[in-house]
Short mmCIF file of all heavy atoms in Angstrom, two decimals:
data_model
loop_
_atom_site.label_atom_id
_atom_site.label_comp_id
_atom_site.label_asym_id
_atom_site.label_seq_id
_atom_site.Cartn_x
_atom_site.Cartn_y
_atom_site.Cartn_z
N SER A 1 -6.52 8.23 -14.29
CA SER A 1 -7.23 9.39 -14.85
C SER A 1 -8.20 10.00 -13.85
O SER A 1 -8.17 11.21 -13.62
CB SER A 1 -7.97 8.99 -16.13
OG SER A 1 -8.89 7.97 -15.86
N ASP A 2 -9.06 9.20 -13.25
CA ASP A 2 -10.08 9.79 -12.39
C ASP A 2 -9.94 9.43 -10.92
O ASP A 2 -10.73 9.87 -10.09
CB ASP A 2 -11.49 9.46 -12.87
CG ASP A 2 -11.81 7.97 -12.80
OD1 ASP A 2 -11.07 7.21 -12.16
OD2 ASP A 2 -12.84 7.56 -13.39
N GLY A 3 -8.96 8.59 -10.59
CA GLY A 3 -8.72 8.26 -9.19
C GLY A 3 -9.69 7.27 -8.59
O GLY A 3 -9.65 7.01 -7.38
N SER A 4 -10.57 6.69 -9.40
CA SER A 4 -11.48 5.68 -8.85
C SER A 4 -10.67 4.47 -8.40
O SER A 4 -9.61 4.16 -8.96
CB SER A 4 -12.54 5.29 -9.87
OG SER A 4 -11.94 4.86 -11.08
N THR A 5 -11.18 3.81 -7.37
CA THR A 5 -10.41 2.75 -6.73
C THR A 5 -11.19 1.44 -6.61
O THR A 5 -12.42 1.41 -6.71
CB THR A 5 -9.97 3.18 -5.32
OG1 THR A 5 -11.14 3.49 -4.55
CG2 THR A 5 -9.06 4.39 -5.37
N TYR A 6 -10.43 0.40 -6.39
CA TYR A 6 -10.97 -0.92 -6.08
C TYR A 6 -10.15 -1.48 -4.93
O TYR A 6 -8.92 -1.32 -4.88
CB TYR A 6 -10.87 -1.86 -7.28
CG TYR A 6 -11.07 -3.31 -6.89
CD1 TYR A 6 -12.35 -3.84 -6.75
CD2 TYR A 6 -9.98 -4.13 -6.60
CE1 TYR A 6 -12.53 -5.15 -6.35
CE2 TYR A 6 -10.15 -5.44 -6.21
CZ TYR A 6 -11.43 -5.95 -6.08
OH TYR A 6 -11.60 -7.24 -5.68
N TYR A 7 -10.82 -2.14 -4.00
CA TYR A 7 -10.16 -2.86 -2.92
C TYR A 7 -10.73 -4.26 -2.82
O TYR A 7 -11.96 -4.45 -2.88
CB TYR A 7 -10.36 -2.16 -1.58
CG TYR A 7 -9.70 -0.81 -1.49
CD1 TYR A 7 -10.41 0.36 -1.75
CD2 TYR A 7 -8.34 -0.69 -1.15
CE1 TYR A 7 -9.79 1.60 -1.68
CE2 TYR A 7 -7.73 0.55 -1.07
CZ TYR A 7 -8.46 1.68 -1.34
OH TYR A 7 -7.84 2.91 -1.27
N GLY A 8 -9.86 -5.21 -2.63
CA GLY A 8 -10.32 -6.56 -2.35
C GLY A 8 -11.02 -6.61 -1.02
O GLY A 8 -10.70 -5.82 -0.11
N ASP A 9 -11.96 -7.51 -0.87
CA ASP A 9 -12.73 -7.58 0.36
C ASP A 9 -11.85 -7.77 1.59
O ASP A 9 -12.15 -7.26 2.67
CB ASP A 9 -13.75 -8.73 0.28
CG ASP A 9 -14.89 -8.42 -0.66
OD1 ASP A 9 -15.10 -7.23 -0.99
OD2 ASP A 9 -15.58 -9.37 -1.08
N SER A 10 -10.77 -8.50 1.44
CA SER A 10 -9.93 -8.82 2.59
C SER A 10 -9.12 -7.63 3.10
O SER A 10 -8.57 -7.67 4.20
CB SER A 10 -8.99 -9.97 2.25
OG SER A 10 -8.12 -9.59 1.20
N VAL A 11 -9.03 -6.56 2.30
CA VAL A 11 -8.22 -5.41 2.71
C VAL A 11 -9.02 -4.13 2.87
O VAL A 11 -8.47 -3.10 3.29
CB VAL A 11 -7.05 -5.16 1.71
CG1 VAL A 11 -6.24 -6.43 1.50
CG2 VAL A 11 -7.57 -4.62 0.38
N LYS A 12 -10.30 -4.17 2.58
CA LYS A 12 -11.13 -2.97 2.70
C LYS A 12 -11.09 -2.42 4.12
O LYS A 12 -11.19 -3.18 5.09
CB LYS A 12 -12.58 -3.29 2.32
CG LYS A 12 -12.82 -3.34 0.84
CD LYS A 12 -14.29 -3.66 0.54
CE LYS A 12 -14.53 -3.79 -0.95
NZ LYS A 12 -15.91 -4.21 -1.25
N GLY A 13 -10.92 -1.13 4.22
CA GLY A 13 -10.88 -0.48 5.52
C GLY A 13 -9.51 -0.50 6.17
O GLY A 13 -9.29 0.17 7.19
N ARG A 14 -8.58 -1.26 5.61
CA ARG A 14 -7.23 -1.34 6.19
C ARG A 14 -6.17 -0.80 5.24
O ARG A 14 -5.14 -0.29 5.68
CB ARG A 14 -6.90 -2.79 6.54
CG ARG A 14 -7.85 -3.41 7.54
CD ARG A 14 -7.37 -4.80 8.00
NE ARG A 14 -7.32 -5.75 6.89
CZ ARG A 14 -6.22 -6.37 6.49
NH1 ARG A 14 -5.06 -6.14 7.09
NH2 ARG A 14 -6.27 -7.26 5.50
N PHE A 15 -6.37 -0.95 3.97
CA PHE A 15 -5.40 -0.49 2.96
C PHE A 15 -5.96 0.74 2.25
O PHE A 15 -7.17 0.89 2.09
CB PHE A 15 -5.14 -1.58 1.92
CG PHE A 15 -4.38 -2.77 2.42
CD1 PHE A 15 -4.17 -3.01 3.76
CD2 PHE A 15 -3.84 -3.68 1.51
CE1 PHE A 15 -3.46 -4.12 4.21
CE2 PHE A 15 -3.13 -4.80 1.92
CZ PHE A 15 -2.95 -5.02 3.29
N ALA A 16 -5.06 1.59 1.82
CA ALA A 16 -5.45 2.78 1.07
C ALA A 16 -4.48 2.98 -0.09
O ALA A 16 -3.26 3.00 0.12
CB ALA A 16 -5.46 4.01 1.96
N ILE A 17 -5.03 3.11 -1.29
CA ILE A 17 -4.20 3.30 -2.47
C ILE A 17 -4.32 4.76 -2.91
O ILE A 17 -5.37 5.39 -2.76
CB ILE A 17 -4.61 2.34 -3.60
CG1 ILE A 17 -3.57 2.32 -4.72
CG2 ILE A 17 -6.01 2.68 -4.14
CD1 ILE A 17 -3.78 1.19 -5.72
N SER A 18 -3.24 5.29 -3.42
CA SER A 18 -3.24 6.65 -3.92
C SER A 18 -2.23 6.74 -5.06
O SER A 18 -1.44 5.82 -5.27
CB SER A 18 -2.87 7.64 -2.81
OG SER A 18 -1.58 7.36 -2.30
N ARG A 19 -2.29 7.83 -5.79
CA ARG A 19 -1.31 8.02 -6.85
C ARG A 19 -0.94 9.48 -6.97
O ARG A 19 -1.72 10.37 -6.64
CB ARG A 19 -1.78 7.43 -8.19
CG ARG A 19 -2.50 8.39 -9.14
CD ARG A 19 -3.96 8.48 -8.85
NE ARG A 19 -4.67 9.10 -9.95
CZ ARG A 19 -5.49 10.13 -9.81
NH1 ARG A 19 -5.66 10.68 -8.64
NH2 ARG A 19 -6.15 10.62 -10.85
N ASP A 20 0.27 9.70 -7.42
CA ASP A 20 0.78 11.04 -7.67
C ASP A 20 1.21 11.06 -9.14
O ASP A 20 2.29 10.57 -9.49
CB ASP A 20 1.96 11.33 -6.74
CG ASP A 20 2.51 12.75 -6.90
OD1 ASP A 20 2.25 13.37 -7.94
OD2 ASP A 20 3.20 13.20 -5.98
N ASN A 21 0.35 11.57 -9.97
CA ASN A 21 0.64 11.53 -11.41
C ASN A 21 1.87 12.35 -11.78
O ASN A 21 2.56 12.04 -12.75
CB ASN A 21 -0.57 11.99 -12.21
CG ASN A 21 -1.65 10.91 -12.30
OD1 ASN A 21 -1.61 9.92 -11.58
ND2 ASN A 21 -2.63 11.13 -13.15
N ALA A 22 2.14 13.39 -11.01
CA ALA A 22 3.31 14.21 -11.30
C ALA A 22 4.59 13.39 -11.12
O ALA A 22 5.59 13.64 -11.80
CB ALA A 22 3.34 15.43 -10.40
N LYS A 23 4.54 12.42 -10.22
CA LYS A 23 5.70 11.55 -9.98
C LYS A 23 5.55 10.21 -10.68
O LYS A 23 6.43 9.35 -10.55
CB LYS A 23 5.91 11.34 -8.48
CG LYS A 23 6.23 12.60 -7.71
CD LYS A 23 6.45 12.30 -6.23
CE LYS A 23 6.80 13.56 -5.47
NZ LYS A 23 6.98 13.30 -4.02
N ASN A 24 4.42 10.02 -11.36
CA ASN A 24 4.16 8.73 -12.01
C ASN A 24 4.29 7.58 -11.02
O ASN A 24 4.82 6.51 -11.36
CB ASN A 24 5.09 8.51 -13.20
CG ASN A 24 4.35 8.46 -14.52
OD1 ASN A 24 3.29 9.07 -14.67
ND2 ASN A 24 4.90 7.75 -15.49
N THR A 25 3.78 7.80 -9.83
CA THR A 25 3.96 6.84 -8.74
C THR A 25 2.64 6.58 -8.04
O THR A 25 1.83 7.49 -7.86
CB THR A 25 4.99 7.38 -7.73
OG1 THR A 25 6.25 7.55 -8.39
CG2 THR A 25 5.16 6.43 -6.56
N ALA A 26 2.44 5.32 -7.66
CA ALA A 26 1.29 4.92 -6.84
C ALA A 26 1.80 4.42 -5.51
O ALA A 26 2.94 3.93 -5.40
CB ALA A 26 0.48 3.85 -7.55
N TYR A 27 0.94 4.53 -4.52
CA TYR A 27 1.30 4.12 -3.16
C TYR A 27 0.20 3.21 -2.62
O TYR A 27 -0.99 3.42 -2.88
CB TYR A 27 1.43 5.34 -2.25
CG TYR A 27 2.41 6.36 -2.76
CD1 TYR A 27 1.98 7.44 -3.53
CD2 TYR A 27 3.77 6.25 -2.49
CE1 TYR A 27 2.87 8.39 -4.01
CE2 TYR A 27 4.67 7.20 -2.96
CZ TYR A 27 4.21 8.26 -3.73
OH TYR A 27 5.10 9.18 -4.21
N LEU A 28 0.61 2.25 -1.82
CA LEU A 28 -0.34 1.40 -1.12
C LEU A 28 0.02 1.45 0.36
O LEU A 28 1.03 0.91 0.78
CB LEU A 28 -0.27 -0.04 -1.63
CG LEU A 28 -1.30 -0.99 -1.02
CD1 LEU A 28 -2.71 -0.60 -1.48
CD2 LEU A 28 -1.01 -2.44 -1.41
N GLN A 29 -0.81 2.15 1.12
CA GLN A 29 -0.63 2.23 2.56
C GLN A 29 -1.37 1.06 3.19
O GLN A 29 -2.59 0.96 3.03
CB GLN A 29 -1.16 3.55 3.09
CG GLN A 29 -1.04 3.70 4.59
CD GLN A 29 0.40 3.79 5.05
OE1 GLN A 29 1.21 4.51 4.47
NE2 GLN A 29 0.75 3.06 6.11
N MET A 30 -0.64 0.22 3.88
CA MET A 30 -1.22 -0.97 4.48
C MET A 30 -1.17 -0.82 5.99
O MET A 30 -0.09 -0.66 6.57
CB MET A 30 -0.45 -2.22 4.03
CG MET A 30 -0.34 -2.35 2.51
SD MET A 30 0.45 -3.88 1.99
CE MET A 30 2.11 -3.60 2.58
N SER A 31 -2.33 -0.88 6.61
CA SER A 31 -2.43 -0.72 8.05
C SER A 31 -3.13 -1.93 8.65
O SER A 31 -3.76 -2.71 7.94
CB SER A 31 -3.21 0.55 8.39
OG SER A 31 -2.60 1.68 7.81
N SER A 32 -3.02 -2.06 9.96
CA SER A 32 -3.65 -3.18 10.68
C SER A 32 -3.33 -4.51 10.00
O SER A 32 -4.22 -5.33 9.77
CB SER A 32 -5.17 -2.97 10.77
OG SER A 32 -5.47 -1.75 11.42
N LEU A 33 -2.08 -4.68 9.68
CA LEU A 33 -1.68 -5.87 8.93
C LEU A 33 -1.91 -7.13 9.73
O LEU A 33 -1.74 -7.17 10.95
CB LEU A 33 -0.21 -5.74 8.51
CG LEU A 33 0.01 -4.82 7.31
CD1 LEU A 33 1.46 -4.38 7.23
CD2 LEU A 33 -0.40 -5.52 6.02
N LYS A 34 -2.30 -8.16 9.00
CA LYS A 34 -2.59 -9.47 9.58
C LYS A 34 -1.62 -10.50 9.00
O LYS A 34 -1.10 -10.30 7.89
CB LYS A 34 -4.02 -9.88 9.25
CG LYS A 34 -5.09 -8.90 9.67
CD LYS A 34 -6.45 -9.36 9.20
CE LYS A 34 -7.55 -8.38 9.60
NZ LYS A 34 -8.89 -8.82 9.12
N PRO A 35 -1.41 -11.60 9.68
CA PRO A 35 -0.53 -12.64 9.12
C PRO A 35 -0.96 -13.09 7.72
O PRO A 35 -0.11 -13.41 6.88
CB PRO A 35 -0.64 -13.77 10.15
CG PRO A 35 -0.92 -13.06 11.43
CD PRO A 35 -1.81 -11.91 11.05
N GLU A 36 -2.26 -13.10 7.48
CA GLU A 36 -2.74 -13.53 6.17
C GLU A 36 -2.47 -12.52 5.06
O GLU A 36 -2.72 -12.79 3.89
CB GLU A 36 -4.24 -13.87 6.22
CG GLU A 36 -5.12 -12.81 6.82
CD GLU A 36 -5.40 -13.04 8.29
OE1 GLU A 36 -4.47 -13.43 9.05
OE2 GLU A 36 -6.56 -12.82 8.71
N ASP A 37 -1.96 -11.33 5.42
CA ASP A 37 -1.57 -10.36 4.39
C ASP A 37 -0.17 -10.64 3.85
O ASP A 37 0.25 -10.02 2.88
CB ASP A 37 -1.58 -8.93 4.96
CG ASP A 37 -2.97 -8.45 5.31
OD1 ASP A 37 -3.89 -8.68 4.50
OD2 ASP A 37 -3.12 -7.84 6.38
N ALA A 38 0.54 -11.54 4.48
CA ALA A 38 1.91 -11.82 4.06
C ALA A 38 1.95 -12.42 2.66
O ALA A 38 1.05 -13.14 2.25
CB ALA A 38 2.57 -12.78 5.05
N GLY A 39 3.01 -12.10 1.93
CA GLY A 39 3.19 -12.64 0.59
C GLY A 39 4.04 -11.71 -0.25
O GLY A 39 4.58 -10.71 0.26
N ASN A 40 4.15 -12.04 -1.51
CA ASN A 40 4.85 -11.18 -2.46
C ASN A 40 3.83 -10.28 -3.12
O ASN A 40 2.83 -10.75 -3.66
CB ASN A 40 5.58 -12.02 -3.49
CG ASN A 40 6.78 -12.73 -2.89
OD1 ASN A 40 7.55 -12.14 -2.17
ND2 ASN A 40 6.92 -14.01 -3.20
N TYR A 41 4.10 -9.00 -3.08
CA TYR A 41 3.21 -8.00 -3.66
C TYR A 41 3.82 -7.49 -4.97
O TYR A 41 4.99 -7.08 -5.00
CB TYR A 41 3.00 -6.85 -2.69
CG TYR A 41 2.05 -7.16 -1.57
CD1 TYR A 41 2.37 -8.12 -0.61
CD2 TYR A 41 0.83 -6.52 -1.46
CE1 TYR A 41 1.50 -8.43 0.42
CE2 TYR A 41 -0.06 -6.81 -0.43
CZ TYR A 41 0.28 -7.77 0.50
OH TYR A 41 -0.59 -8.07 1.52
N TYR A 42 3.02 -7.52 -5.99
CA TYR A 42 3.47 -7.09 -7.32
C TYR A 42 2.64 -5.92 -7.79
O TYR A 42 1.41 -5.99 -7.82
CB TYR A 42 3.34 -8.24 -8.32
CG TYR A 42 4.18 -9.44 -8.00
CD1 TYR A 42 3.71 -10.47 -7.20
CD2 TYR A 42 5.48 -9.55 -8.51
CE1 TYR A 42 4.49 -11.57 -6.90
CE2 TYR A 42 6.27 -10.66 -8.22
CZ TYR A 42 5.76 -11.65 -7.42
OH TYR A 42 6.54 -12.75 -7.12
#
């Protein structure tokens, strides 16, 4: 509704979340990835 966001401390400054309500879709742009970012994302 208002686009307010939350980021976990470990990803702040590296990940960016956005959404396109017209497409009913959200995006997670992940940059400067580290080995500890590996895993299954849900």
Side-chain angles (χ1 to χ4, degrees):
S1 59
D2 65 13
S4 55
T5 58
Y6 165 83
Y7 294 96
D9 287 342
S10 62
V11 307
K12 280 180 183 175
R14 300 187 297 120
F15 290 13
I17 193 168
S18 60
R19 93 274 195 233
D20 183 341
N21 283 13
K23 297 181 179 179
N24 245 28
T25 298
Y27 305 94
L28 184 67
Q29 179 67 45
M30 306 185 292
S31 303
S32 302
L33 282 161
K34 304 176 181 179
E36 51 264 42
D37 293 317
N40 289 314
Y41 283 66
Y42 297 90

